[in-house]
Amino acid sequence: MPATVTPLRVAIVGFGWMGRVHAQAYARVRHHYPEGPAFPELVAIADDVPGRAEAAAAQFGAATAVTDWRALIADPDIDAVSVTAPNFLHREIGTAVLEAGKHLWIEKPVGLSAADAQAVADAAVAHGRQTAVGFNYRNAPAVQAARELIASGGIGSVTHARFRFFSDYAAHPDGALTWRYQRARGGNGVLGDLGSHAADLAWYLLGDVASLVADSAIFVPERPEPTGATSGHQLASGGSRGPVENEDYVSAQLRLLSGARCVLEACRVSVGEQNSYGFEVHGTRGAVRWDYRRMGELECARGDRFQDEPSATVHVGPGSGDYAAFQPGAANPMGYDDLKVIEAQRFVRSIVTGVPEGATIADAVRSARTLDAMTASIEKGAWVTV
Ligand SMILES: NC(=O)c1ccc[n+]([C@@H]2O[C@H](COP(=O)([O-])OP(=O)(O)OC[C@H]3O[C@@H](n4cnc5c(N)ncnc54)[C@H](O)[C@@H]3O)[C@@H](O)[C@H]2O)c1
């Protein structure tokens, strides 16, 4: 281990899909960033489903497994905590982590509303701790390359853009009625889930939103109640069915402060669409497009023809974002888990250097304000100022 590497004891609250992804990311930091400045050691896991934390602790070599997250936060030897529990717990657990003097890596959307995200942000400022938020798509080296291309004027002035986040994870009518579909535990539906990512990406690439108008719909109004503990997106059948309380679909038209126009669309019940996430940004001299499922590629049109300008595929490589931490040459595809390793490393580095890096709680507040504005627009049936 290099002399500069600082020990960093981390814990995870909520060991479903994202808890596992965070555990794997922490473990891989030392593989991809051998220079440090710290290698996280997972020491404790909390999950309220009996046995779940124990099984995870045995697999990942954590010494402590608890069902009550408060016991974990009370441990003075823990430096940082990942909060990967359902949305309704983000505010309570996130602020408690910060008040206990620990750094916080928390999943998006950070609570049920912008007020929840702001409360966590306030606690981070009050206690001087670092934060990271799970807006992983902006960590893709190709997305960073697109950002640099746009910022450098490589496609001219941005005129209009489209962000599309379509998925089928909730398309099956027997998809279990988990916390995701309930207002009290999930908050927004696809707006908070995929829409929060889209809002963050739109800001990351194009800057602030001035005003917007939005629409939403529920297309699968009832789902079967799960009969046991759930994790991720699973099916349930038999049993009684309950109401879906939040939106399956959202679309919004955004006017950006730059004057550019933007369309944002997200849906969780799109049959035939598996993680179909991406954007296209058009400018006065070109365009750039990205599809998450071809993570390392950018489709770029750049030149001086204006008309009949061809598009070319650019495979990003070392020199774009953190690509070099994974592969030595372009066009070796990276995956979703790699984006979380990058996120973990930025979090770790921010703790050691004291300088925020990557998406932080401020980005969660901004994204949540955009989502709250969409909700207000849907309620009013009118344009709203953000
Ligand atoms: N960044 C991304 O791409 C991404 C992807 C999926 C989910 N998420 C976010 O991650 C969070 C978790 O989502 P998920 O898909 O992992 O959900 P999940 O349902 O798979 O896992 C949630 C876990 O939290 C546990 N839990 C519930 N109440 C708890 C409590 N009081 N104490 C401790 N543990 C508790 C559950 O038992 C479960 O194991 C959500 O906020 C979601 O929006 C982010």
Side-chain angles (χ1 to χ4, degrees):
M1 186 186 289
T4 52
V5 169
T6 315
L8 190 73
R9 293 158 58 89
V10 301
I12 295 176
V13 178
F15 213 87
W17 177 21
M18 276 306 112
R20 182 166 294 281
V21 169
H22 281 223
Q24 290 161 179
Y26 281 131
R28 287 177 58 203
V29 163
R30 65 188 305 143
H31 302 167
H32 294 280
Y33 300 93
E35 72 281 9
F39 296 151
E41 185 195 350
L42 181 60
V43 295
I45 297 171
D47 197 291
D48 73 338
V49 173
R52 194 171 277 183
E54 285 79 357
Q59 183 187 353
F60 287 91
T64 304
V66 292
T67 47
D68 184 356
W69 57 267
R70 290 173 190 81
L72 179 153
I73 284 171
D75 182 344
D77 287 335
I78 291 172
D79 303 305
V81 178
S82 278
V83 176
T84 47
N87 301 349
F88 74 102
L89 293 166
H90 290 176
R91 179 176 182 156
E92 182 185 9
I93 306 178
T95 52
V97 165
L98 294 161
E99 282 162 6
K102 302 177 194 316
H103 305 281
L104 174 70
W105 180 10
I106 188 164
E107 270 307 330
K108 40 59 59 178
V110 187
L112 308 179
S113 63
D116 280 2
Q118 186 64 57
V120 179
D122 291 345
V125 170
H127 299 278
R129 300 290 94 180
Q130 296 298 328
T131 58
V133 174
F135 289 131
N136 27 259
Y137 299 110
R138 60 151 88 177
N139 302 336
V143 172
Q144 290 189 239
R147 185 182 203 228
E148 284 162 24
L149 177 69
I150 294 164
S152 69
I155 60 167
S157 304
V158 174
T159 51
H160 60 110
R162 179 180 292 271
F163 291 79
R164 200 177 96 118
F165 274 67
F166 283 179
S167 179
D168 63 0
Y169 71 76
H172 200 296
D174 284 343
L177 187 70
T178 64
W179 59 268
R180 288 177 182 279
Y181 306 95
Q182 298 167 332
R183 282 270 165 211
R185 295 199 299 157
N188 289 312
V190 76
L191 198 53
D193 192 21
L194 302 179
S196 64
H197 281 298
D200 179 67
L201 266 190
W203 174 81
Y204 185 67
L205 294 173
L206 305 176
D208 287 316
V209 181
S211 58
L212 58 80
V213 65
D215 189 18
S216 69
I218 296 175
F219 295 127
V220 181
E222 287 188 338
R223 295 181 176 278
E225 309 265 7
T227 48
T230 63
S231 173
H233 311 297
Q234 62 186 67
L235 301 186
S237 53
S240 57
R241 300 179 83 85
V244 170
E245 296 170 353
N246 51 29
E247 71 291 337
D248 290 324
Y249 170 87
V250 65
S251 63
Q253 239 179 294
L254 282 59
R255 285 183 187 157
L256 305 182
L257 272 187
S258 68
R261 302 300 201 260
C262 181
V263 173
L264 185 154
E265 204 180 4
C267 185
R268 63 187 179 187
V269 298
S270 300
V271 173
E273 300 277 13
Q274 293 86 33
N275 298 329
S276 180
Y277 310 150
F279 57 76
E280 50 190 66
V281 179
H282 297 268
T284 50
R285 304 189 70 86
V288 58
R289 304 181 195 84
W290 180 72
D291 179 343
Y292 161 67
R293 297 171 302 180
R294 304 173 74 93
M295 191 187 288
E297 297 177 20
L298 285 180
E299 284 290 320
C300 298
R302 282 175 292 173
D304 51 17
R305 296 190 196 184
F306 296 102
Q307 203 172 355
D308 299 332
E309 185 69 62
S311 283
T313 302
V314 176
H315 294 275
V316 298
S320 288
D322 279 27
Y323 188 93
F326 295 82
Q327 294 296 341
N332 288 298
M334 289 172 62
Y336 178 83
D337 287 344
D338 298 328
L339 303 184
K340 286 304 210 192
V341 176
I342 295 170
E343 202 164 282
Q345 168 66 358
R346 290 179 181 168
F347 177 49
V348 162
R349 206 159 39 204
S350 75
I351 293 169
V352 176
T353 63
V355 179
E357 210 179 322
T360 68
I361 192 67
D363 297 296
V365 171
R366 186 188 305 104
S367 169
R369 284 195 182 137
T370 304
L371 304 187
D372 279 8
M374 289 183 195
T375 303
S377 167
I378 292 163
E379 283 167 7
K380 286 185 194 161
W383 282 85
V384 297
T385 302
V386 179

